[in-house]
Amino acid sequence: MERQADTLDARAQNVSLGTLTLDPDIKAPSYLVDGHVHIMPGGYALDAEGVRQGALMDRGGAVYMLGRNGGFLNDGRGKTILAHVYALYPDLQPRRILELGCGVGTSLLPVAQAFPEAESFGLDVGASMLRYAHARAGHLGVAAHFVQGSAEAAPFEDASFDLVFSAALMHETSAEAIERILAESHRLLRPGGVAVHLEVPSRYDELDLWSQIRSQVERDYNNEPAWQAATSADYGALMRAAGFSDVAVGFQDAAWAPSPGQGGFGPESKGVFRSWFVTSARR
Ligand SMILES: C[S@@+](CC[C@H](N)C(=O)[O-])C[C@H]1O[C@@H](n2cnc3c(N)ncnc32)[C@H](O)[C@@H]1O
């Protein structure tokens, strides 16, 4: 990535698809700047000039997953979100889609591609992430809009989306932020719209002692301070507190080729990379 940085910056300059809207005044939340998340120097919020931090996240994320999350596109979470929408909300035909905490867009793109008539937006705090996400989407032929801002106070109007989702966002935040982000997902939806939030599948309270210790190692030595808060949260209660009723909470089978009618949502986890924890509801 370092060797290619200048080439990548040059290739990111001329992207004609979609848009990129950066906010130079944004102040990243402390949970993103106090530590180097994933021991990735600078974490997500570092605005290394150009696309370097985004490139680091893209390659680093795919390598860390060892091919188990969609290979180098790393799009398994997005495909699983899509599978969940097909399973529980098969009539949803979104016109506007928003991913909160989109990173470099790996999860947003498969959802945007499944609904080509919709306008798709990705929101993130990191400027370099978003420059890279915009360029990456353009080079993959997807017109998506990338906006810098916080998922705790998203810079969009009330009731302006039909599908709002997040993928592996909560464990990078804090217990308080999770509540605010869920409330934002409710505020941003039109009546009848759908919120889907996907997280890592290991529920802390269900782990054996050794796995709980491994989870604490993730928290303390891989700089994932909210890992335990996110995997212990009562998402059903939190979603209801955010204003949703009839909340689904469970596990969605990891999907490589999601299609309507596939189902795959149930109360049991099939394990890491085989299923993802998901909570969802219609507004
Ligand atoms: C683990 S990454 C997941 C990225 C993407 N959702 C995916 O599935 O590939 C978490 C992302 O959430 C972003 N993030 C964390 N807190 C945020 C906040 N309050 N507002 C917006 N983005 C946030 C980080 O910058 C990072 O890009």
Side-chain angles (χ1 to χ4, degrees):
M1 190 279 294
E2 281 295 337
R3 282 198 304 276
Q4 292 181 311
D6 292 341
T7 312
L8 289 171
D9 278 336
R11 291 195 68 190
Q13 291 302 316
N14 301 311
V15 180
S16 53
L17 287 176
T19 61
L20 173 67
T21 308
L22 298 181
D23 176 0
D25 297 326
I26 189 155
K27 192 170 175 315
S30 58
Y31 49 75
L32 286 185
V33 291
D34 287 353
H36 302 271
V37 180
H38 302 159
I39 321 185
M40 182 171 85
Y44 289 114
L46 177 75
D47 185 9
E49 290 289 306
V51 300
R52 283 172 196 224
Q53 202 66 357
L56 177 65
M57 178 59 197
D58 191 15
R59 292 301 80 172
V63 170
Y64 188 72
M65 295 292 177
L66 297 174
R68 296 169 297 183
N69 189 47
F72 269 101
L73 282 178
N74 209 6
D75 57 1
R77 287 186 293 270
K79 287 182 171 173
T80 305
I81 296 269
L82 190 56
H84 185 75
V85 170
Y86 287 150
L88 265 64
Y89 311 96
D91 59 329
L92 187 73
Q93 285 298 327
R95 283 175 290 139
R96 279 169 57 94
I97 296 169
L98 172 64
E99 182 182 1
L100 301 169
C102 66
V104 295
T106 47
S107 296
L108 179 63
L109 261 51
V111 180
Q113 285 170 312
F115 298 109
E117 306 297 317
E119 274 188 298
S120 291
F121 292 78
L123 180 79
D124 205 282
V125 166
S128 181
M129 295 289 147
L130 292 166
R131 282 190 210 103
Y132 185 90
H134 177 231
R136 179 181 181 277
H139 283 285
L140 289 170
V142 180
H145 306 288
F146 293 92
V147 178
Q148 190 175 18
S150 175
E152 294 184 55
F156 298 104
E157 291 183 7
D158 294 0
S160 52
F161 290 95
D162 308 290
L163 173 61
V164 175
F165 73 91
S166 72
L169 165 63
M170 304 307 174
H171 74 263
E172 308 292 15
T173 65
S174 69
E176 301 74 25
I178 292 172
E179 289 181 30
R180 285 195 282 270
I181 292 168
L182 296 178
E184 277 297 86
S185 71
H186 185 267
R187 177 186 73 77
L188 292 164
L189 281 175
R190 294 187 180 123
V194 169
V196 182
H197 297 287
L198 172 149
E199 253 306 332
V200 295
S202 307
R203 301 286 89 202
Y204 187 79
D205 298 338
E206 296 162 13
L207 297 175
D208 57 40
L209 181 61
W210 171 240
S211 303
Q212 286 189 342
I213 291 169
R214 282 180 50 198
S215 169
Q216 289 166 11
V217 169
E218 186 80 29
R219 182 191 65 194
D220 295 341
Y221 298 104
N222 197 24
N223 290 1
E224 296 274 26
W227 188 275
Q228 202 170 325
T231 56
S232 311
D234 180 349
Y235 285 95
L238 290 173
M239 287 285 276
R240 284 187 286 279
F244 293 102
S245 50
D246 201 11
V247 176
V249 179
F251 296 87
Q252 182 69 44
D253 289 352
W256 288 72
S259 62
Q262 221 170 27
F265 182 67
E268 301 294 332
S269 170
K270 293 181 181 164
V272 179
F273 295 113
R274 296 196 180 85
S275 54
W276 291 91
F277 173 83
V278 175
T279 183
S280 69
R282 204 185 273 280
R283 180 172 176 175

